[in-house]
Amino acid sequence: MHRPTRRRPGRGLLARSTPWLFLAVPLALLVTFTYTPVFSMLFYSLTSWDGFSPQKEFVGQANYTELFTRPDLFQVFFVSLFYLASGAVQMVLALYFATVLSFHVRFRNFFKGVLFFPYLVNGVAIGFVFLYFFQPGGTLDSVLGLFGARGDHLWLGDPQLVNWSLASVSLWRYLGLNFVLFLGAIQSVPGEIYEAAELDGANRWHQVRHIVLPGIRPVVSLSAILVVSGSLSAFEIPYIMTGGANGSTTFVIQTVKLAFQFNKVGLASAAAVVLLAVVLLTTWIQRVLVPDEGVELV
Amino acid sequence: MTTHVPRGFGARSAVAAKYLSLVAASTATLLPLAVVLMAALKTEPESAAGGPLTPPHDWFNLRNFEVAFSQGHLLRAFGNTAFILAFSVTGTVLIGSMTAYAIDRFRFPFRRLTISLFLLASLVPGVTTQVATFQIINSFGMFNSRWSAIALYTGTDIVSIVIFLQFMRAIPVSLDEAARIDGASPLRIYRTVILPLLKPAIATVVIVKGVVVYNDFYVPFLYMPSPELGVVSTSLYSFKGPYGAHWEIICAGAVLVIVPTLVVFLFLQRFIYNGFTRGATK
């Protein structure tokens, strides 16, 4: 282990410490900004700390109990379900458009560009664009009016509608990313396979079912992880558009408010630990269900 | 890929359905942006009177852009963003490539452990640890300075390290061995052999990172609340208060923030697609 295998054996201390000279800064940053926060967060979550007082009183699992027993705190998990649903729709649509645009289509690059562009747009700008879009009597109501459905709706003010509206903004924003990932994966499947399949009498659906889907499985499972962790950590769009009003508070909005407005760092840390645990658990389950065959990281 | 020749009625209606779905999706994508552009070109009484779908009287009315740009301090915002962008992107490239070089080209004690530490960290989403990260930034005295954002963007981007590791493996070891035999030091090999060969990875990381930094709201909003430090996102966000009902100004601000992205996208389209596909799958 301590002997270099690819290179000639190092001569002396300087040679042996070379990799560490390159790794010093990256490792320092890694420990400072990833591992220290994870561990100190675990510790804060067991205290009733307010974020600035010198003493941190140990309260055990009290924060966790509060989190799981107060319905108003717990309901943010249900809000994630809206984003999860929109994420599922997003994946299906992205897969559809990626398949369609992999084959010959007129104005292919135009459609590609249009579908992908929203992903590159600034989140605050998107928030404003859709605040304007969802105004009562605004764009959406006017467009619906053209189709005969008159009337103004409180798309963002009605607790029944607000999460659907916000989750559809996420759909608009992230569809393009999934689309481009799928498109790249589909295009890495060699074209001859399709030609061979066509000669064997396979129609487009057969090709999608038996060539495209198995060929891009790793990317589909990657984007499933992104969808799950994205729906749990939804923040920008709902925060900018509603500030969490009318029942649109997400997990991250709540954590930020608890920690930075109400100075409940202990409780906020417990919430963050739960979020982290859920994300890690999903990733792990996904790894078990869909192992990355052949994708060895290092 | 394959050219599909439509035959018969079924095939023709399938083609029609395909184009219909593409046009519908494009409309749904472009309509919200188009109405905002129209709103930005309207005068105040005009935007109060007409619906959002009525086009502006004067397509060259740039008044709102002037107001948004000067009163919204967008020049300062672009400056702050550029500053943070330059340092974060450079830092990310250096950190990622150095890590990849050390891990892939050297065998040393705790190498496996080091790799696992980086890989494991890539599973931790930044938003989840923010409460504790805030305390660290605060204890360094970086709160309310541009260095907080730079440190966070540079120090928490494990994904770029993983991208660099993937690319690094594709560079033949014989190249740096040759340089080594010629007497080059490891630092020199890194600078003159490895970095130039990592160009595709650097392009990928610059693009992916650039998009993230330009668009991020969370980090500057939490760590740089002072108005002088406003970046593009937070400066635009602050339009919400003073221009509350002045949609023509808010829309003009949004357009001003989107336009640079659009220009870069149109010029670098192909590289941007590649960047994202590689960034996520490699």
Side-chain angles (χ1 to χ4, degrees):
Chain A
M1 194 64 192
H2 60 276
R3 178 164 298 211
T5 49
R6 277 200 202 178
R7 301 158 36 112
R8 290 160 53 210
R11 267 159 280 145
L13 193 66
L14 185 68
R16 261 182 291 135
S17 59
T18 308
W20 296 111
L21 295 179
F22 282 94
L23 282 170
V25 177
L27 276 176
L29 289 170
L30 177 74
V31 170
T32 315
F33 292 114
T34 301
Y35 287 103
T36 316
V38 169
F39 289 109
S40 55
M41 197 169 76
L42 283 170
F43 166 66
Y44 296 157
S45 77
L46 303 172
T47 69
S48 61
W49 195 38
D50 58 9
F52 39 82
S53 74
Q55 77 273 25
K56 304 181 176 77
E57 199 196 333
F58 186 80
V59 295
Q61 55 8 312
N63 288 324
Y64 291 93
T65 316
E66 189 177 354
L67 206 61
F68 285 103
T69 49
R70 266 174 60 186
D72 57 314
L73 289 181
F74 197 70
Q75 70 107 23
V76 293
F77 279 109
F78 298 107
V79 175
S80 304
L81 296 179
F82 290 91
Y83 293 90
L84 201 61
S86 107
V89 177
Q90 198 184 106
M91 282 183 66
V92 172
L93 287 177
L95 203 52
Y96 167 76
F97 286 117
T99 315
V100 165
L101 289 172
S102 301
F103 298 99
H104 177 75
V105 170
R106 243 171 274 204
F107 311 114
R108 188 162 159 252
N109 287 332
F110 169 78
F111 288 125
K112 251 173 88 171
V114 168
L115 287 178
F116 180 62
F117 182 63
Y119 178 71
L120 302 175
V121 176
N122 186 286
V124 180
I126 293 181
F128 286 170
V129 164
F130 279 93
L131 273 176
Y132 188 69
F133 184 82
F134 282 127
Q135 271 192 312
T139 314
L140 184 55
D141 282 333
S142 307
V143 171
L144 289 176
L146 295 179
F147 291 97
R150 310 223 158 256
D152 296 353
H153 301 87
L154 288 169
W155 296 108
L156 300 170
D158 183 345
Q160 301 283 326
L161 290 175
V162 64
N163 286 316
W164 292 114
S165 309
L166 294 173
S168 64
V169 178
S170 292
L171 173 67
W172 184 90
R173 185 180 188 186
Y174 293 110
L175 175 69
L177 179 66
N178 282 305
F179 159 73
V180 162
L181 294 182
F182 292 157
L183 195 70
I186 293 176
Q187 283 172 349
S188 65
V189 177
E192 306 90 69
I193 299 185
Y194 297 103
E195 281 161 31
E198 214 153 324
L199 288 178
D200 289 344
N203 64 23
R204 203 34 69 73
W205 167 245
H206 289 143
Q207 292 178 21
V208 169
R209 172 77 187 72
H210 297 290
I211 303 173
V212 173
L213 279 181
I216 66 171
R217 210 174 64 162
V219 178
V220 172
S221 75
L222 171 85
S223 96
I225 293 187
L226 291 178
V227 160
V228 172
S229 74
S231 57
L232 285 166
S233 43
F235 170 74
E236 274 193 8
I237 294 298
Y239 189 84
I240 291 159
M241 290 179 64
T242 64
N246 309 319
S248 62
T249 301
T250 64
F251 207 99
V252 180
I253 294 181
Q254 186 176 75
T255 312
V256 167
K257 282 190 173 167
L258 285 175
F260 303 110
Q261 280 175 26
F262 307 127
N263 298 321
K264 293 192 166 187
V265 170
L267 187 59
S269 299
V273 170
V274 172
L275 176 60
L276 181 59
V278 175
V279 170
L280 291 179
L281 190 70
T282 344
T283 315
W284 179 73
I285 291 176
Q286 191 275 343
R287 283 273 153 90
V288 172
L289 290 179
V290 191
D292 292 349
E293 68 280 339
V295 186
E296 200 196 315
L297 272 164
V298 177
Chain B
M1 251 161 240
T2 53
T3 337
H4 193 77
V5 186
R7 319 166 192 90
F9 177 74
R12 243 178 298 148
S13 56
V15 169
K18 181 172 79 180
Y19 280 100
L20 207 63
S21 69
L22 286 168
V23 170
S26 306
T27 312
T29 308
L30 294 178
L31 186 73
L33 296 170
V35 289
V36 162
L37 178 62
M38 293 202 300
L41 294 166
K42 289 175 185 173
T43 60
E44 202 188 327
E46 215 184 328
S47 80
L53 297 182
T54 38
H57 279 296
D58 175 9
W59 283 92
F60 295 97
N61 167 34
L62 302 179
R63 267 284 308 148
N64 300 324
F65 292 105
E66 280 168 39
V67 175
F69 193 76
S70 55
Q71 291 181 25
H73 303 289
L74 284 186
L75 185 64
R76 189 174 69 194
F78 281 113
N80 283 333
T81 300
F83 183 88
I84 293 173
L85 201 59
F87 278 94
S88 315
V89 168
T90 315
T92 306
V93 167
L94 287 178
I95 298 287
S97 53
M98 288 194 315
T99 312
Y101 177 60
I103 287 181
D104 193 70
R105 291 302 203 255
F106 294 89
R107 292 294 173 273
F108 52 92
F110 308 114
R111 180 174 165 274
R112 285 255 143 222
L113 177 72
T114 312
I115 297 172
S116 321
L117 279 179
F118 280 111
L119 290 183
L120 190 64
S122 71
L123 301 177
V124 178
V127 286
T128 61
T129 51
Q130 223 50 244
V131 181
T133 309
F134 186 86
Q135 308 300 333
I136 291 173
I137 289 287
N138 208 7
S139 71
F140 287 158
M142 287 198 286
F143 177 69
N144 231 340
S145 94
R146 284 176 291 203
W147 299 107
S148 60
I150 293 168
L152 286 173
Y153 292 139
T154 311
T156 56
D157 191 359
I158 316 295
V159 176
S160 332
I161 295 181
V162 176
I163 294 176
F164 275 115
L165 273 173
Q166 300 299 325
F167 275 90
M168 192 73 207
R169 290 171 62 210
I171 300 176
V173 187
S174 52
L175 283 173
D176 32 317
E177 267 167 5
R180 211 181 134 66
I181 290 165
D182 289 345
S185 68
L187 185 65
R188 208 186 145 83
I189 294 175
Y190 165 75
R191 254 189 32 235
T192 57
V193 179
I194 300 299
L195 269 190
L197 289 171
L198 277 178
K199 258 185 206 147
I202 294 176
T204 298
V205 168
V206 167
I207 287 171
V208 175
K209 193 75 193 170
V211 169
V212 167
V213 173
Y214 182 78
N215 290 335
D216 187 39
F217 170 69
Y218 194 73
V219 164
F221 174 73
L222 271 186
Y223 292 91
M224 302 158 40
S226 152
E228 287 78 54
L229 299 175
V231 295
V232 168
S233 296
T234 44
S235 299
L236 182 62
Y237 183 69
S238 65
F239 276 42
K240 217 181 169 181
Y243 304 114
H246 291 276
W247 277 107
E248 68 286 352
I249 306 288
I250 293 188
C251 290
V255 170
L256 284 174
V257 168
I258 295 174
V259 162
T261 315
L262 181 62
V263 171
V264 172
F265 174 63
L266 291 178
F267 278 103
L268 301 177
Q269 245 186 84
R270 203 155 38 91
F271 302 101
I272 290 178
Y273 292 134
N274 289 346
F276 279 93
T277 339
R278 278 180 184 160
T281 52
K282 276 254 174 178

